[in-house]
Amino acid sequence: MFRSKFWVCLVLTLPILFFSERIQSWFGYSAPEFTGAWLIAPVLGAVVFFYGGMVFLKSAWHELQSREPGMMTLISLAITVAFVFSLAVTLGFPGNDLWWELATLVTIMLLGHWIEMRSVSQAQGALKELAKLLPDTALRLVDGDTEEVPADQLKEGDLILVKPGASAPVDGVVKEGQSSMDESMITGESKPIEKKEGDEVVGGTVNGEGSLRVEVTKAGDEMALAGIMRMVEEAQSSSSRSQALADRAAFWLTVAAVSAGILTFAAWMLAGATWDFTISRVVTVLVIACPHALGLAVPLVTAISTTLGARNGLLVRDRRGLEQARNLNTVVFDKTGTLTLGEHRVLDTVPAEGEDIDEVLKLAAAVEQDSEHPIGKALRISAEERELEIPEARNFKAKAGEGVQAEVDSRKLQVGGPALLEKLGVDVAESLQKAAKDFGKKGQAAIYLIEEEKVLAVFAIADAIREESYDAIRELHDQGIEVAMLTGDSTDVANSVARELGIDTVFAEVLPDQKADKIRQLQKEGKSVAMVGDGVNDAPALATADVGIAIGAGTDVAVEAGDVVLVRSDPRDVARIVGLSRANHRKMVQNLWWAAGYNIVAIPLAAGVLFWMGILLSPAVGAILMSASTVIVAINAQLLRRAKI
């Protein structure tokens, strides 16, 4: 709309400028004279005022109705004063009209608004581009046949075929096939993610080399991508301290501009200036003081920062949380599922003399192949992660409270804890006994592999620390932030993890309903605290903290407890939130200073305080300067895209 009005008004303004006596004298030419030529400026100027200026007049009316006068009020006041005075001069009032100033003023203001709206649209539209990744059609499988149907007709339970190179139209679960999916548009993770039977597929992600048969679990507004876009939209519309500051500044700048306009009028009239000169000064003051850039400074930065975060797996639910993150000096992590995997792994292996580490792990994993116990799962997964080939086991048997037994390559093997050792009465080598004691001091379970009456190895099994946690703690320390850990585990287990990661403060044996109290305790010490948890049992602590960060959500964006959601469940992203917050704040401060600060010089110049030096700004130049400040604010905000987070 602003673009269309701009081009029409530009075409109408050019003849007004060409036939203006002042423009002719400035450039030394004479426009053709013909009957009615004097009507070109008032007629076209009136059209420009009503056609191009009406959008400002309507917006000003809404501002006044809501008792929040702002930039539209100032623009409307300026062009109305110019129009009424010019019309009066045309009808016989002494003085020189301001038709060319009025026309150029409206045209330049339309151009400025077009540029502004385009900048905002580009910032907010970056995430919406993700929606284009969703295909319009899908291949649905019915009774073994494939039919092409519109993607919006898919419903939960449908079976679809996702071919190599195609995008998944909906969220679902792999029922058949194996491939890798590019999930970078959702999580920001560039590495393709392997998918096999039972794995989740996210709508909008791109299939790799294999075909997948996927059962639909979520479609339409229930999809993860739809949820992400909804969350970003809410964040961009949520209130913030910076926005409130900008709004207050815009209000008082409007009051100051009107006051300056009145003072300018009074001063020049008392000085004996002509009506047209005085009105021109007033119009220039009103135009140049428009809080246009001020109104754009915060929303544009917010739109870019929240979109930038979302495209990097950082979903901002509340802008106040993003703004507060820059002030954090303490980050509290829940242990299980946050700093750790929330799953048991083999953390250490001590083989008996003459035994190979990989060999004993393979044998233990083979014995546990048919076990449903977490210990058995830990042994199997640990062997798989080391890419060991697990041999086949026979005659599996579980012994309640003791362990399991099976035959592997004709060897009779058993896996179990201290209770199994006690029952069998086997001797344990001194080196293995010492290792088991050390494991116990760290809160780790000691599990033994036994053949006949010989202990082949002892394994330390516990909740494994995420590899990413080491970097996460180091990066936060590099930013000058203390790190604390909350856990319901024993003090020994908690201290072991804390020592391993270099955590500063440990709260162990804390019940879920006590976590919020620990956050308050830190806040009473004057600390600005972020809580990082899974968003479910940590909800009270997340809500109590200055910034709540929900981790472990994956693509389930229905997390309501946190201010920020980490899509990738990667604790390293906590430091990235702080980085994004600081970059966001820098841009806001820069924009607010530029948008409001330039008026300190611009308003006196517009009022004509340097007229005695021959320096005088016309309304059109004032409009250009005001629009230039808006463009500078827009460009500066766009530079936020280059920030490293």
Side-chain angles (χ1 to χ4, degrees):
M1 181 269 290
F2 280 111
R3 180 187 61 190
S4 299
K5 286 182 177 291
F6 162 72
W7 286 117
V8 171
C9 289
L10 178 62
V11 170
L12 296 175
T13 298
L14 292 176
I16 298 175
L17 291 171
F18 182 73
F19 283 95
S20 167
E21 292 182 3
R22 188 172 300 177
I23 299 296
Q24 291 180 55
S25 66
W26 284 354
F27 291 96
Y29 71 92
S30 297
E33 296 183 7
F34 53 88
T35 304
W38 67 275
L39 288 173
I40 290 178
V43 170
L44 296 183
V47 174
V48 169
F49 174 75
F50 286 106
Y51 173 74
M54 189 56 65
V55 62
F56 303 118
L57 296 173
K58 287 182 178 179
S59 298
W61 177 248
H62 292 310
E63 286 183 351
L64 294 173
Q65 280 186 318
S66 61
R67 298 181 181 179
E68 294 181 351
M71 58 183 170
M72 292 301 186
T73 302
L74 287 183
I75 294 172
S76 298
L77 190 56
I79 63 176
T80 300
V81 169
F83 173 74
V84 171
F85 178 74
S86 298
L87 183 62
V89 170
T90 302
L91 296 176
F93 189 83
N96 295 309
D97 61 59
L98 302 172
W99 289 119
W100 79 267
E101 290 94 337
L102 169 64
T104 53
L105 178 57
V106 172
T107 302
I108 292 169
M109 297 301 286
L110 290 170
L111 175 62
H113 275 73
W114 172 23
I115 294 172
E116 172 194 341
M117 293 299 172
R118 185 173 181 180
S119 296
V120 173
S121 177
Q122 287 174 343
Q124 294 177 333
L127 186 63
K128 294 180 181 178
E129 289 295 312
L130 295 178
K132 296 180 180 179
L133 297 171
L134 293 172
D136 296 326
T137 61
L139 297 176
R140 184 165 58 188
L141 299 170
V142 181
D143 298 329
D145 294 328
T146 303
E147 61 178 5
E148 187 173 354
V149 297
D152 57 10
Q153 289 186 10
L154 294 175
K155 58 183 183 298
E156 185 177 345
D158 284 348
L159 190 66
I160 60 172
L161 174 65
V162 182
K163 292 184 175 181
S167 297
V170 290
D171 294 354
V173 175
V174 178
K175 287 298 180 182
E176 185 182 333
Q178 187 169 348
S179 185
S180 60
M181 302 290 286
D182 179 1
E183 297 184 347
S184 59
M185 67 289 298
I186 301 293
T187 66
E189 178 59 60
S190 59
K191 183 180 179 181
I193 308 300
E194 294 296 324
K195 298 293 180 181
K196 58 183 183 300
E197 187 175 335
D199 289 339
E200 293 184 354
V201 169
V202 182
T205 57
V206 182
N207 189 19
E209 68 286 350
S211 293
L212 296 174
R213 282 168 171 73
V214 177
E215 182 180 328
V216 178
T217 56
K218 294 178 182 177
D221 291 340
E222 299 300 317
M223 292 170 55
L225 186 60
I228 290 173
M229 293 179 64
R230 208 162 41 240
M231 187 176 291
V232 173
E233 185 177 357
E234 290 171 0
Q236 291 179 348
S237 62
S238 64
S239 61
S240 69
R241 293 184 182 90
S242 295
Q243 183 61 63
L245 174 63
D247 291 341
R248 287 197 302 273
F251 172 79
W252 287 112
L253 182 58
T254 301
V255 173
V258 173
S259 301
I262 295 172
L263 184 62
T264 299
F265 177 82
W268 282 112
M269 290 304 295
L270 289 174
T274 61
W275 275 94
D276 56 313
F277 179 89
T278 302
I279 295 300
S280 179
R281 293 302 91 227
V282 172
V283 169
T284 305
V285 166
L286 294 175
V287 169
I288 210 164
C290 285
H292 203 216
L294 198 58
L296 182 65
V298 173
L300 186 54
V301 172
T302 297
I304 293 172
S305 61
T306 50
T307 302
L308 182 64
R311 299 189 74 173
N312 285 275
L314 313 175
L315 299 185
V316 179
R317 293 190 61 253
D318 193 320
R319 282 163 52 187
R320 285 171 293 186
L322 176 62
E323 290 182 11
Q324 180 64 23
R326 70 184 176 85
N327 296 318
L328 292 174
N329 51 37
T330 304
V331 173
V332 181
F333 284 94
D334 175 56
K335 181 183 79 70
T336 306
T338 303
L339 293 174
T340 65
L341 294 172
E343 297 178 353
H344 287 78
R345 291 288 192 277
V346 176
L347 304 185
D348 196 1
T349 302
V350 178
E353 187 176 350
E355 300 292 338
D356 179 71
I357 288 181
D358 287 347
E359 184 64 25
V360 294
L361 182 56
K362 282 165 52 177
L363 293 174
V367 174
E368 293 280 7
Q369 270 187 9
D370 293 336
S371 173
E372 296 296 327
H373 196 277
I375 296 296
K377 184 179 179 182
L379 287 163
R380 292 196 306 273
I381 293 177
S382 296
E384 290 170 358
E385 288 177 344
R386 295 185 64 165
E387 299 182 352
L388 301 178
E389 187 175 343
I390 302 174
E392 185 179 350
R394 296 181 179 179
N395 300 324
F396 172 83
K397 184 178 180 181
K399 298 179 180 181
E402 296 177 6
V404 297
Q405 67 179 37
E407 291 182 15
V408 181
D409 296 333
S410 300
R411 301 171 67 178
K412 293 183 179 180
L413 302 170
Q414 298 185 69
V415 176
L420 179 61
L421 284 183
E422 186 177 346
K423 180 178 180 182
L424 295 176
V426 298
D427 292 328
V428 182
E430 186 177 340
S431 60
L432 300 185
Q433 289 182 21
K434 183 179 183 300
K437 287 181 181 179
D438 291 341
F439 297 160
K441 290 177 182 178
K442 297 178 183 178
Q444 300 165 348
I447 301 299
Y448 301 89
L449 171 64
I450 305 167
E451 182 178 16
E452 302 295 346
E453 295 184 356
K454 180 183 178 183
V455 178
L456 302 181
V458 59
F459 305 97
I461 295 182
D463 187 6
I465 296 174
R466 293 175 183 268
E467 287 298 321
E468 303 89 350
S469 296
Y470 296 93
D471 289 336
I473 306 305
R474 179 182 53 78
E475 289 169 6
L476 287 171
H477 281 158
D478 289 345
Q479 292 177 338
I481 297 174
E482 276 185 44
V483 180
M485 184 176 70
L486 270 176
T487 179
D489 284 347
S490 68
T491 302
D492 287 342
V493 173
N495 287 336
S496 174
V497 173
R499 281 194 300 270
E500 181 77 14
L501 292 174
I503 289 173
D504 305 299
T505 305
V506 177
F507 298 104
E509 300 178 15
V510 179
L511 298 176
D513 59 353
Q514 297 173 337
K515 290 183 177 181
D517 294 333
K518 297 299 182 183
I519 300 297
R520 293 189 191 95
Q521 177 183 326
L522 292 170
Q523 290 172 327
K524 286 179 181 178
E525 295 173 8
K527 296 178 178 179
S528 180
V529 184
M531 172 67 193
V532 187
D534 62 13
V536 182
N537 58 9
D538 296 315
L542 288 168
T544 303
D546 298 288
V547 181
I549 302 173
I551 193 173
T555 54
D556 180 7
V557 294
V559 179
E560 296 296 331
D563 299 310
V564 183
V565 179
L566 306 186
V567 175
R568 288 185 294 208
S569 304
D570 188 338
R572 292 176 299 184
D573 284 344
V574 176
R576 298 174 71 208
I577 291 170
V578 177
L580 177 61
S581 175
R582 291 174 179 176
N584 177 73
H585 179 71
R586 282 195 301 272
K587 283 301 173 190
M588 282 187 179
V589 170
Q590 291 168 7
N591 277 358
L592 288 173
W593 268 108
W594 177 261
Y598 95 107
N599 285 286
I600 297 172
V601 175
I603 290 178
L605 281 177
V609 295
L610 296 182
F611 175 64
W612 60 277
M613 294 178 60
I615 299 175
L616 196 65
L617 303 180
S618 69
V621 172
I624 291 172
L625 289 177
M626 192 278 294
S627 295
S629 71
T630 302
V631 172
I632 290 172
V633 165
I635 293 173
N636 188 49
Q638 295 292 342
L639 293 177
L640 179 59
R641 297 181 186 277
R642 299 183 179 181
K644 293 183 179 180
I645 61 171

